């Protein structure tokens, strides 16, 4: 069995993120990845069985990165409104700090069948603290919708759009700007 070279694996993973950003997830192939990473054509097969395995592993890795410390951030809030803000702001910071990985997640969300159902389920389990905050907000009747999916869209779309629009013109959004947008999004779904 071949020895795992962690640096080479990280180079291949980073190349996947770059190609996904530049060409979309449909543009990925092991040959293209190897060429761009300047590794042998067989190198990706050392780490991944096939494209589905590669995308599934990377999805879960990025999902766990995004969800890391989520519960600790939520626990800093005293009220449900603070907890909602802290949970959404957590993801806004992650997306700002890891733009290639955030783009990859967006591409996978638009093409969920590219990863295994088991990996999607594991990813959903890692976001359980966010779901629990949403459910608590609904149970306390402090939000304008009882639909968790609608609430998630209303909370996440504003900061994602700001990041996307800035990236399209080669700029970034500051953490202060993201925080302001997240505050507005949270205020927008709270009952008055």
């Amino acid at each position: 069995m071949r020895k795992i070279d962690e640096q080479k694996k990280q180079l291949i993973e980073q190349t996947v993120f770059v190609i996904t950003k530049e060409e979309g997830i449909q543009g990925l192939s092991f040959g293209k990845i190897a060429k761009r990473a300047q590794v042998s054509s067989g190198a990706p097969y050392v780490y991944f069985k096939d494209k589905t395995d590669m995308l599934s592993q990377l999805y879960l890795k990025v999902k766990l990165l995004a969800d890391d410390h989520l519960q600790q951030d939520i626990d800093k809030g005293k009220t449900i409104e603070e907890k909602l803000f802290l949970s959404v702001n957590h993801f806004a910071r992650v997306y700002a700090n890891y733009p290639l990985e955030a783009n990859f997640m967006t591409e996978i969300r638009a093409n969920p069948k590219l990863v295994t159902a088991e990996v999607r389920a594991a990813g959903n389990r890692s976001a359980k603290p966010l779901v629990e905050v949403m459910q608590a907000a609904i149970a306390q009747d402090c939000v304008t919708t009882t639909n968790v999916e609608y609430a998630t869209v209303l909370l996440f779309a504003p900061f994602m759009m700001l990041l996307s629009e800035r990236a399209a013109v080669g700029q970034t959004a500051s953490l202060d700007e993201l925080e302001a947008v997240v505050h507005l999004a949270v205020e927008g779904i709270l009952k008055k």
Side-chain angles (χ1 to χ4, degrees):
M1 182 170 175
R2 296 170 102 174
K3 183 176 180 260
I4 299 296
D5 179 339
E6 284 302 320
Q7 286 183 320
K8 190 178 286 186
K9 183 178 182 187
Q10 288 175 1
L11 174 63
I12 290 168
E13 291 173 350
Q14 195 64 27
T15 301
V16 169
F17 298 143
V18 170
I19 292 171
T20 300
K21 176 71 173 164
E22 293 175 357
E23 301 177 32
I25 206 152
Q26 302 301 337
L28 287 173
S29 70
F30 276 17
K32 187 181 288 185
I33 294 164
K35 184 175 181 179
R36 289 283 297 272
Q38 298 180 342
V39 296
S40 71
S41 60
Y45 291 100
V46 172
Y47 309 103
F48 310 107
K49 290 184 283 191
D50 54 29
K51 185 176 175 179
T52 300
D53 179 52
M54 176 187 68
L55 294 176
S56 294
Q57 284 189 44
L58 289 177
Y59 169 80
L60 192 54
K61 182 177 182 174
V62 172
K63 189 76 172 85
L64 293 174
L65 169 74
D67 295 340
D68 190 35
H69 300 295
L70 173 59
Q71 187 66 60
Q72 291 92 322
D73 284 349
I74 291 170
D75 289 344
K76 293 174 186 171
K78 291 177 179 49
T79 66
I80 196 64
E81 292 85 358
E82 289 174 354
K83 290 175 185 277
L84 271 173
F85 168 78
L86 290 167
S87 62
V88 178
N89 199 54
H90 168 91
F91 290 104
R93 286 193 327 268
V94 169
Y95 272 52
N97 291 329
Y98 299 96
L100 289 174
E101 291 83 348
N103 178 74
F104 176 81
M105 290 299 292
T106 300
E107 289 278 336
I108 293 293
R109 280 193 193 98
N111 299 280
K113 292 184 179 177
L114 293 177
V115 298
T116 66
E118 295 80 19
V119 165
R120 285 193 310 272
N124 289 340
R125 283 191 300 274
S126 76
K128 186 177 178 191
L130 172 64
V131 174
E132 289 173 346
V133 168
M134 298 286 207
Q135 290 170 336
I138 291 167
Q140 292 180 24
D141 195 33
C142 63
V143 289
T144 57
T145 180
T146 59
N147 185 308
V148 173
E149 182 181 23
Y150 293 176
T152 303
V153 169
L154 293 167
L155 291 169
F156 282 70
F159 81 77
M160 292 173 72
M161 187 170 181
L162 176 63
L163 289 170
S164 176
E165 287 183 353
R166 292 286 177 85
V169 294
Q171 298 175 353
T172 59
S174 72
L175 294 179
D176 287 342
E177 290 175 307
L178 288 169
E179 188 172 308
V181 168
V182 171
H183 269 297
L184 291 170
V186 170
E187 288 173 19
I189 71 160
L190 293 175
K191 287 185 176 180
K192 306 294 182 220

